[in-house]
Amino acid sequence: MQKSSSSALMVKQEFFTKWKKGLQIYSAFNKEMTIMERKRAIKLSADVAIASTRSATTQWSRAVVADVSTSAAGAARIAAEEILGRKLTERRKALASKKIVRRRRKAAARGVVRSSAAAVAKKRVRNRTRVLKRLIPGRKKLDEISLIKETLDYIASLQVQVDVMRHIAAAAETMHQQQISF
């Protein structure tokens, strides 16, 4: 238990350091940002920072970096490259896994007959899977098991973002309260 809590703390520290670096680059690049530009800068920096803590080990983290590499320009591109510690390359099309393709072909060749209850259950699973795929970056070519693994990892990463942002907000609130009392 001790190891996992120290590991989570290290991930939070890594995320915070990288996020802060991205925000510093943005603020140095553009001193007078609008509210929307500031919002985009915060979100992009947070997304790239949390994706970089995964070291491209998940599909969603690679998708976030690929999206930034195709759409980011100027300060966003510089911030992303600094956070990642490397130059961004153009996005490449992901190829479907041969294993998934083979599995689908075998199932289609068998022509499995399903009962109506099984068909309803299968339709519900398919609908829920479709909804889930819309929420996770890099979800296009995932089978159901990989999608669940990616979703769990993405949720854990988002929880790290939320925890760090809550600590920052609490610290800012404390500082504000101290300034008011003087």
Side-chain angles (χ1 to χ4, degrees):
M1 190 68 177
Q2 181 72 10
K3 187 177 180 181
S4 67
S5 66
S6 67
S7 175
L9 181 62
M10 288 175 51
V11 170
K12 288 177 184 178
Q13 288 173 337
E14 182 183 357
F15 164 71
F16 177 69
T17 303
K18 290 180 177 186
W19 185 41
K20 187 173 78 171
K21 181 188 279 187
L23 292 174
Q24 288 169 340
I25 291 166
Y26 261 108
S27 64
F29 199 87
N30 187 358
K31 300 264 186 222
E32 298 179 17
M33 287 191 270
T34 65
I35 298 278
M36 291 308 291
E37 289 171 333
R38 192 169 294 138
K39 176 186 168 196
R40 275 187 237 114
I42 291 169
K43 179 156 178 31
L44 179 88
S45 295
D47 288 348
V48 173
I50 200 66
S52 72
T53 62
R54 300 302 300 145
S55 304
T57 57
T58 58
Q59 182 74 25
W60 72 262
S61 63
R62 288 190 300 270
V64 167
V65 172
D67 288 344
V68 170
S69 70
T70 58
S71 63
R77 189 171 200 80
I78 293 168
E81 288 173 349
E82 284 293 321
I83 291 169
L84 295 168
R86 61 182 165 81
K87 293 283 185 190
L88 292 174
T89 57
E90 290 302 311
R91 183 179 180 180
R92 296 184 181 108
K93 284 188 175 181
L95 299 174
S97 169
K98 290 179 182 178
K99 190 183 211 180
I100 295 169
V101 172
R102 263 190 257 126
R103 203 179 308 146
R104 286 185 182 178
R105 284 183 184 159
K106 285 180 185 177
R110 284 191 302 246
V112 179
V113 178
R114 296 182 185 351
S115 68
S116 63
V120 169
K122 184 171 175 74
K123 184 177 179 180
R124 282 186 177 171
V125 168
R126 197 176 0 195
N127 288 341
R128 291 177 181 171
T129 302
R130 190 178 317 121
V131 170
L132 188 57
K133 282 184 176 185
R134 279 189 240 135
L135 299 173
I136 307 301
R139 72 276 181 187
K140 294 195 178 17
K141 305 281 182 179
L142 295 175
D143 62 294
E144 286 81 10
I145 293 171
S146 297
L147 179 65
I148 291 170
K149 288 179 183 177
E150 290 284 323
T151 302
L152 291 172
D153 189 77
Y154 188 59
I155 289 169
S157 296
L158 290 175
Q159 187 62 49
V160 167
Q161 274 188 345
V162 168
D163 290 347
V164 170
M165 290 178 181
R166 278 188 181 149
H167 281 86
I168 291 170
E173 181 66 27
T174 302
M175 288 176 59
H176 181 67
Q177 292 298 326
Q178 289 173 351
Q179 288 175 350
I180 291 174
S181 64
F182 284 117

